[in-house]
Amino acid sequence: MDTTDQIDQVRDDFIMRMGVIAMGEGLPRMSGQVFAMLVFEGEPIAFGALSRRLSVSRATISTSIRVLEERGLIRRVNKTGDRQDYFQLADDAYAAMTKFALAGTRHAKAEINDTINKLPTEADGVRARLDSFAEFYETISTALDDVATRVSKPKI
């Protein structure tokens, strides 16, 4: 197998794996695959090329693009003289991913705290377990906040 074939095989495997990971994070599988392709290739890719290279319909690509754009993970770019839309990673894609995860952990902690506040004072055991659960999310939030700060730093 030559180097080009090996790289193609590794890329295809990476794209499939990232689709599965995206599903685990609540995203459509194809959104994860589009994102992975853009990461791997490192250059803008035309809408039609995404559809062909991932062997899916243009409608599926459109839905995936919309999800990724809404989360601030990719951006639409144009090439002079070309009417197609191209897509590439947003400059701060990893910071956007971290901020989305941070919002999720903060939401979970708020839901737990809301439940704690509804408990009668006599529910000491339940309250203690839920306090521990809320502290778990607070620890994750603190770590993600640190990560968001680190990945948001301007590159010199």
Side-chain angles (χ1 to χ4, degrees):
M1 175 183 309
D2 72 358
T3 303
T4 302
D5 289 340
Q6 187 176 6
I7 291 171
D8 288 347
Q9 185 176 354
V10 169
R11 181 194 60 233
D12 293 347
D13 183 57
F14 174 71
I15 289 168
M16 291 299 146
R17 288 175 184 226
M18 293 301 103
V20 171
I21 288 172
M23 285 183 356
E25 295 176 355
L27 286 170
R29 178 180 57 87
M30 189 52 57
S31 292
Q33 291 181 348
V34 168
F35 187 80
M37 178 170 281
L38 293 172
V39 169
F40 199 92
E41 296 300 330
E43 62 187 30
I45 301 176
F47 184 91
L50 286 168
S51 176
R52 284 189 307 280
R53 290 169 70 181
L54 293 171
S55 301
V56 295
S57 71
R58 292 176 70 87
T60 300
I61 293 296
S62 180
T63 300
S64 298
I65 291 295
R66 187 171 40 257
V67 168
L68 295 170
E69 282 182 315
E70 287 170 358
R71 291 200 177 184
L73 301 178
I74 65 170
R75 66 186 182 101
R76 193 177 301 249
V77 294
N78 295 309
K79 290 189 176 184
T80 305
D82 194 337
R83 293 178 50 178
Q84 285 194 79
D85 285 329
Y86 287 77
F87 299 91
Q88 68 182 33
L89 286 183
D91 293 334
D92 58 352
Y94 305 129
M97 289 173 72
T98 306
K99 289 174 185 174
F100 188 81
L102 179 58
T105 59
R106 287 182 174 158
H107 176 74
K109 183 179 180 230
E111 291 294 328
I112 295 165
N113 286 335
D114 183 55
T115 301
I116 292 169
N117 292 333
K118 292 177 182 174
L119 287 171
T121 55
E122 299 81 27
D124 293 336
V126 175
R127 185 179 303 278
R129 289 188 299 277
L130 291 178
D131 280 338
S132 179
F133 195 26
E135 183 58 33
F136 165 76
Y137 276 107
E138 180 59 31
T139 301
I140 292 173
S141 293
T142 300
L144 285 172
D145 200 26
D146 181 51
V147 170
T149 300
R150 289 177 188 213
V151 299
S152 295
K153 288 183 180 176
K155 295 181 174 96
I156 299 174

